Amino acid sequence: MTEQMPYLTSNRRTILKGAAALAGVAGLSPFGLPRALAGDQPDWVWQPMRWVQINFTDDDPGRYDPQFWLDFMRRTQTHGVCLSAGGISAFYPTEVPFHRRSPFLGASDPFGDLAKACKAMGLRVLARVDPSVVHADALAAHPEWVARSGDGKPRKHPDDPALYLSCPNGPFSFGWVPEVIREIMSRYPVDGIFGNRWSGGHVGICYCNVCKTEFRAATGLDLPPNLLNRRDPALIAYNRWSDAKRFDQIQAYNAAARAINPQALFAPGSSWQRLDPKRLRTSFRAIYADQQQRAAGNPVWSAGRGAKEAACIMQGAGPISGSVNVAQMEFKDSVQSIDETLTFLHDGMAQGFRPWLIKFKAEVFDKRWVAPIEQAFAWHARNERYFRNTDNLADVAVLQSLQTNSTYRSGGSVNLQPVSAMTAGGNEAALNGAYQALLEARVPFSLVDDRDLDPAILDRYRVILLPNVACLSDAQCDSIRQYVRCGGSIVASGETSLYTEDGTERTNFGLADLFGCDYAGQVDRKVENSYIGIHGPHPLTAGLDDTPRIVGGTRIVRVKSANVPPQNPLRLIRSYPDQPAEEAYPREPASDDPMAFVRTFGQGRVVYFPFNLEQLFWEQGPRDHLILLRNAVTWASGRPQPMTVSGAGLIDVSYFRQERSLAAHLVNLNNPSAVRGYMHETVPAGPFVVNLELPNNTRPSRIRLLEADRNATFRQSGSRLTVTVPHVALHEVIAVDIIPAQVKKTRREPKPTTLLGLSWRHRDEDLPVTPGQCDLSKGHHLPSA
């Protein structure tokens, strides 16, 4: 089991003391942007840092112990609770027709009693409503409330055939659900509504008469027959129409709640990922991400990825909280391995999530989770100011593309079945490979959404990875081009920009001028036993210069270029048979076909790999591909990362700023089950040496290790700190208190970059920067030695 750590000691301060301490910073957003819903009052959503969600079951009334939960919230200094109120079952004496009361409710009011007790403690309260199901009596009275299959029959719940799936687009969602919300808000002192399964995502396409009529009126089309033909114009139109309906729902539910309490909010727990981020930021005040645990085939860093996804959507417009469930998902009364649960919880916290505990069933059978979660929450509470982030200091980002995942399919590597849902469809495997490589390289990084390529977002980063981002519009290509021209850098691979946003193949890359090569008209989609010859020394081949060849791509884009350097560092060795063994030899000499294009463009840098580099790393894990990706990011960046880590072990890292401090996180993922399967034991890691870049005009006043609970050993050289971390049991945080420093500003002329002992010059064919096109004061900095 996890080694006992100094932070795993209960903090017995009351919730009222925690609330008083919190009042001093109420309203400060993660990016320093206070928001007020009305008047000059700060928005309360910034206050809560720790949440507990209790999902009642029908038989909980009269059986569960409310005092257990109140005591738990005091010990953990919980700031907010989410309590089951209604929807499928009502846990209060509802008067709304067809709002089925729990059959065990009797004269009790478990939701109301617990909500009032939590408010008396100073907690924020969200009422959980699940409108996904309709009971048989409601179907009989209101057949228009129920989702229909293509043959017009009511859609039954997949696990309980006595229940029916509700239509998310008709009078049930837009009439009945707001009535339930208004009843809850008017009766109880709650701060908002949490929507569970609110969007009908489990339904797919509903073929009820309401959906048929409204869709035809809006688009002139019939509903698409299925979700499989991604390029069907009717399906494309349906997705847009469905997204618009989701925003209509959010607006309707917010209006219903705020009609009673002007400070209230509706908080969708899921189905926000596919919504337009710009519009979403004007509709959401906070994200409460319903990502409770990982599937056995997914990596443990999926919690951290969820935090990055939520952060890239919100862009500081509201706080992000991420859930963790202590139960085994298919066995809700059984407790998950505590090492698995704690690692999932801490990885989310390290990437910016405010922790949100979910417990199915208020009655607690197995209490093995209680003490470890209490201790983790209490540690978070003691160190809360180092988790109130105002900025993410990562200067590398990975571009994620919903449109690529919607219209493009890459397939798996040769002779390899997909290992999980995280490899299926679009460029998901490539994105996961880029994620895993950056994690193993210990590069702090963020995610950027391809619908959000504004300069204000792109200019935060020195390097952006495009892992086989196949589908990009002309406007998106222009945004990336301008980003590079003005000093940003990209690392791209595979079929990036070879297709338009709707999946139509271009005759040439949309980013051909950046890549320095043209599409030769063919993608070899099933390449076996090919290799890449290494020809260094070169920035890309550092660590491989004693290696004559490495594994090649299994999906190769044929390209042509008139300006390939004669000493290209990576060259194709064409495929040849690997069976039988006697026939496994090359049939032709190594080619001169380049497998990397490394160049400058304007004031930025570009690395392009014309093969499925990241996908192959994710699916087969060649260490050489990790080295290539790490070297590409290093050269593209042109300077050390703001946080670097040396030492042995698999760790996830991040680097955040708070109002008066910095926090560098190291989460220990060192376990044979970290990538696939569940972790049953966390293996201690370390020692590590961590080097941190101090933000401009700051200096450290104190540096502590929060897990070890002691002052850190460090040295400072200019703007860089070097901190020794002897040991990471689970989640060490280097907490740096900072104070402003008066620094005399001097102008320094840029110098040629020298990296890995090699001087890198601009190529003759690079395009010059047109005067007036770039405002470098707002964005990128040119790489310097």
Side-chain angles (χ1 to χ4, degrees):
M1 295 296 292
T2 304
E3 179 179 344
Q4 293 299 309
M5 294 166 277
Y7 82 82
L8 293 181
T9 55
S10 295
N11 188 323
R12 303 292 178 176
R13 290 181 295 173
T14 67
I15 190 69
L16 297 178
K17 289 183 179 179
L22 185 62
V25 292
L28 179 66
S29 82
F31 293 88
L33 302 172
R35 289 187 57 198
L37 186 64
D40 296 327
Q41 295 300 314
D43 194 346
W44 66 264
V45 298
W46 294 109
Q47 298 171 4
M49 290 292 289
R50 288 166 297 284
W51 289 85
V52 170
Q53 177 176 332
I54 304 171
N55 287 1
F56 289 130
T57 59
D58 274 346
D59 69 335
D60 275 331
R63 295 175 59 91
Y64 89 103
D65 179 7
Q67 193 60 46
F68 165 85
W69 286 107
L70 296 174
D71 292 342
F72 177 83
M73 292 169 197
R74 287 191 181 94
R75 291 193 298 269
T76 57
Q77 296 192 59
T78 293
H79 292 150
V81 294
C82 180
L83 307 175
S84 292
I88 297 176
S89 294
F91 294 98
Y92 68 96
T94 179
E95 301 298 331
V96 175
F98 304 106
H99 194 196
R100 171 186 172 273
R101 297 187 186 188
S102 162
F104 296 83
L105 192 66
S108 68
D109 186 357
F111 165 74
D113 292 343
L114 193 54
K116 292 172 184 176
C118 290
K119 288 299 287 187
M121 291 169 56
L123 278 65
R124 295 291 181 175
V125 177
L126 297 179
R128 178 183 179 272
V129 174
D130 187 328
S132 64
V133 165
V134 172
H135 293 270
D137 60 337
L139 168 62
H142 292 280
E144 73 279 8
W145 284 4
V146 176
R148 305 276 171 168
S149 56
D151 59 6
K153 294 181 179 179
R155 295 278 300 277
K156 292 186 177 182
H157 192 283
D159 297 315
D160 188 345
L163 302 176
Y164 299 87
L165 300 178
S166 63
C167 170
N169 303 315
F172 177 83
S173 286
F174 288 90
W176 186 85
V177 175
E179 188 176 353
V180 171
I181 290 174
R182 285 189 291 268
E183 181 182 65
I184 293 170
M185 295 296 304
S186 62
R187 288 191 183 185
Y188 301 104
V190 299
D191 299 283
I193 302 294
F194 177 86
N196 189 69
R197 294 185 180 271
W198 64 282
S199 66
H202 55 294
V203 171
I205 298 174
C206 173
Y207 295 93
C208 73
N209 288 332
V210 172
C211 289
K212 289 179 179 178
T213 302
E214 290 196 11
F215 181 69
R216 173 165 281 281
T219 67
L221 300 171
D222 291 330
L223 288 166
N226 55 58
L227 294 168
L228 299 178
N229 185 0
R230 300 184 179 196
R231 298 182 64 181
D232 180 357
L235 180 58
I236 294 171
Y238 176 82
N239 287 332
R240 292 171 180 164
W241 176 77
S242 177
D243 288 351
K245 296 293 284 187
R246 303 294 73 77
F247 279 113
D248 290 345
Q249 271 185 283
I250 294 167
Q251 183 178 6
Y253 298 167
N254 268 319
R258 291 175 189 169
I260 312 301
N261 176 1
Q263 299 296 322
L265 85 163
F266 170 71
S270 59
S271 300
W272 45 264
Q273 290 90 340
R274 65 163 293 110
L275 298 178
D276 174 62
K278 295 183 178 68
R279 187 175 178 187
L280 189 148
R281 287 194 288 272
T282 67
S283 304
F284 284 14
R285 288 155 57 199
I287 278 182
Y288 304 102
D290 191 11
Q291 182 182 346
Q292 301 177 26
Q293 54 191 211
R294 63 170 174 155
N298 292 348
V300 74
W301 49 251
S302 56
R305 175 174 168 175
K308 292 177 193 283
E309 289 175 343
C312 92
I313 291 292
M314 288 304 283
Q315 293 294 326
I320 59 172
S321 300
S323 60
V324 61
N325 196 319
V326 297
Q328 194 91 20
M329 283 300 288
E330 301 303 323
F331 301 90
K332 293 183 172 58
D333 290 333
S334 181
V335 173
Q336 174 66 278
S337 161
I338 196 61
D339 293 270
E340 171 74 24
T341 300
L342 288 177
T343 303
F344 192 85
L345 172 70
H346 278 273
D347 197 54
M349 289 194 300
Q351 299 299 336
F353 267 154
R354 299 178 180 201
W356 175 299
L357 171 71
I358 294 180
K359 174 62 174 69
F360 287 129
K361 190 167 183 55
E363 187 180 12
V364 181
F365 300 122
D366 188 341
K367 296 184 178 180
R368 286 176 293 174
W369 61 271
V370 175
I373 294 295
E374 279 187 5
Q375 292 160 1
F377 269 46
W379 176 77
H380 186 268
R382 288 198 302 276
N383 300 297
E384 181 179 304
R385 70 189 184 98
Y386 298 110
F387 289 88
R388 287 190 172 275
N389 301 320
T390 61
D391 195 12
N392 189 332
L393 298 180
D395 62 7
V396 172
V398 178
L399 186 67
Q400 61 178 14
S401 174
L402 177 66
Q403 65 196 20
T404 296
N405 278 327
S406 298
T407 60
Y408 166 88
R409 298 193 72 83
S410 64
S413 294
V414 175
N415 297 327
L416 184 72
Q417 295 298 317
V419 295
S420 75
M422 295 187 76
T423 65
N427 71 331
E428 188 69 7
L431 177 61
N432 285 321
Y435 198 113
Q436 180 73 23
L438 290 174
L439 185 144
E440 291 192 38
R442 297 161 183 173
V443 174
F445 69 98
S446 301
L447 296 178
V448 171
D449 194 284
D450 65 349
R451 299 163 293 178
D452 227 358
L453 300 184
D454 296 333
I457 293 175
L458 296 183
D459 288 353
R460 294 177 53 83
Y461 305 105
R462 183 174 293 270
V463 182
I464 296 177
L465 277 68
L466 285 72
N468 198 30
V469 181
C471 301
L472 291 169
S473 68
D474 290 344
Q476 289 170 323
C477 289
D478 287 341
S479 295
I480 294 168
R481 184 177 295 105
Q482 184 70 0
Y483 163 76
V484 177
R485 180 178 283 122
C486 294
S489 297
I490 63 170
V491 176
S493 67
E495 295 164 77
T496 294
S497 79
L498 192 54
Y499 306 85
T500 64
E501 66 273 23
D502 64 359
T504 301
E505 185 174 337
R506 291 185 168 101
T507 58
N508 200 0
F509 300 110
L511 298 174
D513 52 342
L514 269 66
F515 294 167
C517 62
D518 297 310
Y519 179 47
Q522 182 176 332
V523 177
D524 297 334
R525 290 179 166 82
K526 191 177 180 181
V527 181
E528 299 183 357
N529 201 39
S530 79
Y531 296 88
I532 294 174
I534 301 298
H535 301 271
H538 186 277
L540 289 191
T541 65
L544 296 173
D545 286 323
D546 61 348
T547 305
R549 62 171 60 181
I550 63 174
V551 171
T554 59
R555 189 178 179 102
I556 296 175
V557 183
R558 297 201 181 188
V559 297
K560 55 187 177 182
S561 174
N563 297 303
V564 178
Q567 296 301 317
N568 190 277
L570 307 181
R571 301 182 212 169
L572 177 65
I573 299 174
R574 300 192 190 282
S575 63
Y576 51 89
D578 65 342
Q579 291 293 337
E582 291 80 1
E583 298 291 324
Y585 62 90
R587 301 302 196 267
E588 58 184 83
S591 75
D592 291 327
D593 294 352
M595 286 289 99
F597 293 82
V598 186
R599 65 196 300 267
T600 57
F601 179 93
Q603 299 185 66
R605 296 179 170 199
V606 177
V607 181
Y608 169 62
F609 299 101
F611 66 100
N612 58 339
L613 173 64
E614 299 94 345
Q615 178 184 359
L616 198 60
F617 178 65
W618 174 246
E619 294 179 346
Q620 298 195 10
R623 183 175 180 271
D624 298 333
H625 292 57
L626 165 64
I627 294 173
L628 278 183
L629 282 165
R630 182 190 63 198
N631 289 347
V633 171
T634 299
W635 179 80
S637 179
R639 71 171 189 181
Q641 293 298 313
M643 175 183 183
T644 63
V645 183
S646 61
L650 180 66
I651 57 171
D652 198 359
V653 303
S654 61
Y655 189 24
F656 287 94
R657 181 170 183 169
Q658 300 79 45
E659 189 176 14
R660 296 183 181 88
S661 59
L662 309 170
H665 297 259
L666 293 84
V667 180
N668 180 12
L669 306 181
N670 211 32
N671 189 278
S673 300
V675 177
R676 301 184 183 101
Y678 293 124
M679 297 174 62
H680 297 146
E681 181 181 14
T682 302
V683 180
F688 298 104
V689 176
V690 182
N691 190 269
L692 303 174
E693 177 78 19
L694 291 171
N696 289 339
N697 301 330
T698 61
R699 60 185 177 88
S701 62
R702 187 182 73 154
I703 303 177
R704 287 189 61 78
L705 302 178
L706 299 186
E707 183 183 80
D709 195 22
R710 65 174 180 79
N711 290 333
T713 301
F714 73 96
R715 65 180 184 274
Q716 182 175 357
S717 177
S719 63
R720 305 286 300 194
L721 288 177
T722 301
V723 182
T724 300
V725 178
H727 174 90
V728 179
L730 177 56
H731 180 187
E732 185 59 273
V733 182
I734 302 170
V736 183
D737 294 336
I738 56 174
I739 56 177
Q742 296 298 322
V743 178
K744 183 179 179 181
K745 294 183 179 180
T746 59
R747 179 178 178 83
R748 192 176 86 175
E749 295 298 324
K751 299 184 296 184
T753 297
T754 302
L755 186 65
L756 303 174
L758 298 171
S759 178
W760 200 259
R761 301 168 181 262
H762 285 235
R763 291 173 51 81
D764 293 338
E765 72 270 23
D766 295 333
L767 299 179
V769 179
T770 303
Q773 285 185 321
C774 301
D775 183 358
L776 294 179
S777 66
K778 293 193 283 187
H780 325 291
H781 306 278
L782 289 177
S784 59

